[in-house]
Amino acid sequence: MAGPPLSRTHRPLMLQPLKVLEQLKARLREAVALLPLDRNAGYASIILELPHGLTHAPDIAGPRFLFAHSHRGDLRAGYGIAGEWRAEGPKRLDILRAKARAVAADWQHFDPDETGFTGFGMLGLAASPNPSQSKESDLPNAIFWLPELALTSHAGQAALVLTTPLPSTLDALLTRWEPLLDRVVPLLDVPAQDPLTQAHLDPGDSTPDQDDWRELVLTALDEIDQERFEKVVLWRRLRLQGHRRFDLTRLNAALAYLFPSCQVVNIRLHGASFVAATPERLFTQCRDRVEADALAGTACRAEDADLDAEITRDLQHCEKNLREQRVVADAVSEALTHCCSHVEPPDGPRIMQLNNAQHLWSLIRGHLKPGVDVFRLTDLLHPTPATNGQPRQQAHDWLREHEPLERGWYTGTAGIVEPDLTGELWVLLRCARIDDRVADLFAGAGIVAGSDPMAEWQETGHKLAAMSTALQFA
């Protein structure tokens, strides 16, 4: 819902003596008067235009999330909490869907600058619906989160969004929101920080270590030979110790520079930050259309152009990698048949090339049946065989018994939920949990018939290099 436009003299990009912060505060005071503050329930958002698009979002203390994609020119960030709902267990998505529907039914959006933007929320899930037993669990098992202040930027345009639960009062909102603007807005025009001098990182233990990894892969291959499942995804954790506190703003910039075709994700509720630079979407839903990625089959890159091209050709014709890709593409297509009136044949596999690795990638599109939302799609698609295995339940059960550590949010999913409960979620890969000078990095490899334990170990090393390289400059 949009309120009446503010006076055009208050629009940004006009030649006025006020600085951006002063402009925003003036427009905020006028816009707050449009809100139905005496309503007994629901949420209201004010959208205020910013003078230019955003390339980064500042890291300030407190709860915060960021989703930024350099190639697409998209950025969404949230600060603080206007509303938060948590769930765990097999029904976690059903629980959060009910909460989100209630929010969406009574969420009013006031866009006095006629930006076309709206408020938004974040949905995020751990890899498994089972509650974590880890002492290092910084994030809940599943969360739907409305930020109090949000930033949104697309195609060179940007806006700031302020959201409140109702009822409230004008004085209470201005008392909260003006200091928020003071903290965030001056940082929006600060030039992107240059990377720090490359620093040495001290490697710690890998869990599992190389010997345990080999035994785990051989055990999985025995299960595959006995046809208990077709594929299973194993993973390991590598701990790195820095000689300085990791700077998350610089880390985000380094990841965006090194991996511009990846989605950079940064989530913090309290304590440590969870960071990812993931190449894999779970899906994008736009009205009644859905696109999903099938990403499976990996090879390294080479500095020599001829050798790199040879590796690419080998990947395109490797029977083991093509089989792994087919398993994922077929599973994604089959999952979408449960919510789509029509699913197109997979488009691919193509080659997705990153700085440190290349993957087989297929794009799967479908036309959704009425009433399908991000929660239903997430339930059907997560986890994909690219991160869990196939068949889903058999692989999941085997991993629960044999994995040496809990995954937490590694191979979980997170993304943006729009007010109509459409949106986009990403698979959380190439991840790290970062706490001061300590970073725990996570990477995995898909095991199918024909997998070699040491080749799969080396594949996880290539994937771990994505985050470890960026951390050296943070």
Side-chain angles (χ1 to χ4, degrees), residues 246-269:
F246 292 118
D247 184 316
L248 293 179
T249 300
R250 283 191 168 92
L251 176 60
N252 294 337
L255 290 170
Y257 175 78
L258 291 168
F259 307 102
S261 60
C262 291
Q263 180 82 309
V264 175
V265 180
N266 195 319
I267 303 171
R268 179 184 64 235
L269 270 174

Side-chain angles (χ1 to χ4, degrees), residues 127-146:
S128 169
N130 302 295
S132 174
Q133 304 300 315
S134 171
K135 294 180 180 178
E136 295 183 343
S137 179
D138 306 287
L139 297 169
N141 185 264
I143 186 171
F144 176 57
W145 171 1
L146 295 185

Side-chain angles (χ1 to χ4, degrees), residues 213-234 398-399 402 447-449 451:
W213 173 268
R214 181 177 182 278
E215 290 304 312
L216 198 56
V217 172
L218 293 176
T219 302
L221 288 171
D222 286 341
E223 299 288 310
I224 292 169
D225 287 343
Q226 297 175 47
E227 299 184 347
R228 294 191 174 131
F229 43 77
E230 188 174 1
K231 174 184 177 180
V232 70
V233 181
L234 304 179
W398 188 87
L399 289 168
H402 290 86
I447 310 303
V448 296
S451 290

Side-chain angles (χ1 to χ4, degrees), residues 84-203:
E84 176 195 343
W85 299 267
R86 302 184 179 196
E88 60 186 32
K91 298 294 184 182
R92 58 184 179 170
L93 282 164
D94 292 335
I95 294 168
L96 294 181
R97 177 191 289 114
K99 300 296 186 183
R101 284 180 173 172
V103 169
D106 200 5
W107 186 2
Q108 301 186 62
H109 302 263
F110 294 85
D111 186 11
D113 293 334
E114 299 175 352
T115 66
F117 290 114
T118 65
F120 55 87
M122 189 208 86
L123 173 64
L125 311 175
S128 169
N130 302 295
S132 174
Q133 304 300 315
S134 171
K135 294 180 180 178
E136 295 183 343
S137 179
D138 306 287
L139 297 169
N141 185 264
I143 186 171
F144 176 57
W145 171 1
L146 295 185
E148 184 167 26
L149 184 150
L151 300 172
T152 180
S153 183
H154 175 72
Q157 295 182 302
L160 182 149
V161 184
L162 292 155
T163 300
T164 183
L166 300 173
S168 189
T169 66
L170 186 148
D171 287 344
L173 291 181
L174 292 179
T175 298
R176 289 205 318 271
W177 286 352
E178 288 194 340
L180 264 178
L181 296 184
D182 287 336
R183 294 174 66 198
V184 172
V185 174
L187 300 176
L188 298 180
D189 284 326
V190 174
Q193 294 176 304
D194 292 331
L196 294 173
T197 303
Q198 188 172 3
H200 175 73
L201 304 178
D202 295 325

Side-chain angles (χ1 to χ4, degrees), residues 383-450:
T384 73
T387 61
N388 173 71
Q390 185 70 5
R392 178 195 286 192
Q393 194 58 51
Q394 289 90 327
H396 174 77
D397 292 344
W398 188 87
L399 289 168
R400 286 274 295 169
E401 182 179 349
H402 290 86
E403 285 186 325
L405 295 169
E406 290 186 17
R407 293 192 180 196
W409 276 44
Y410 168 63
T411 69
T413 184
I416 297 300
V417 180
E418 308 291 357
D420 62 357
L421 304 190
T422 63
E424 180 176 82
L425 270 70
W426 291 77
V427 182
L428 297 174
L429 305 174
R430 316 294 197 272
C431 301
R433 176 187 180 270
I434 298 174
D435 189 3
D436 197 3
R437 295 188 299 148
V438 177
D440 287 330
L441 280 58
F442 313 99
I447 310 303
V448 296

Side-chain angles (χ1 to χ4, degrees), residues 243-412:
H243 292 266
R244 59 193 178 212
R245 182 185 181 90
F246 292 118
D247 184 316
L248 293 179
T249 300
R250 283 191 168 92
L251 176 60
N252 294 337
L255 290 170
Y257 175 78
L258 291 168
F259 307 102
S261 60
C262 291
Q263 180 82 309
V264 175
V265 180
N266 195 319
I267 303 171
R268 179 184 64 235
L269 270 174
H270 56 80
S273 293
F274 185 87
V275 182
T278 176
E280 184 176 358
R281 283 182 309 173
L282 187 65
F283 64 83
T284 299
Q285 180 189 6
C286 183
R287 294 185 292 277
D288 61 351
R289 300 290 297 175
V290 63
E291 289 187 352
D293 289 341
L295 197 70
T298 301
C300 64
R301 300 295 307 275
E303 292 185 8
D304 179 79
D306 291 337
L307 178 57
D308 193 56
E310 182 181 345
I311 293 170
T312 301
R313 287 192 296 271
D314 289 345
L315 176 61
Q316 290 172 312
H317 297 94
C318 173
E319 193 274 336
K320 177 260 179 188
N321 280 299
L322 289 170
R323 183 168 61 252
E324 186 179 349
Q325 165 66 206
R326 283 194 297 272
V327 168
V328 176
D330 289 348
V332 171
S333 296
E334 195 278 331
L336 289 178
T337 63
H338 296 280
C339 62
C340 288
S341 57
H342 174 70
V343 178
E344 298 176 13
D347 181 2
R350 316 174 193 176
I351 294 291
M352 177 186 288
Q353 290 189 320
L354 308 176
N355 280 346
N356 67 318
Q358 48 192 323
H359 307 281
L360 294 175
W361 167 54
S362 295
L363 182 62
I364 297 145
R365 300 180 178 93
H367 190 281
L368 293 165
K369 297 174 182 176
V372 178
D373 58 28
V374 292
F375 298 91
R376 174 67 172 150
L377 284 167
T378 303
D379 195 29
L380 288 169
L381 290 170
H382 182 266
T384 73
T387 61
N388 173 71
Q390 185 70 5
R392 178 195 286 192
Q393 194 58 51
Q394 289 90 327
H396 174 77
D397 292 344
W398 188 87
L399 289 168
R400 286 274 295 169
E401 182 179 349
H402 290 86
E403 285 186 325
L405 295 169
E406 290 186 17
R407 293 192 180 196
W409 276 44
Y410 168 63
T411 69

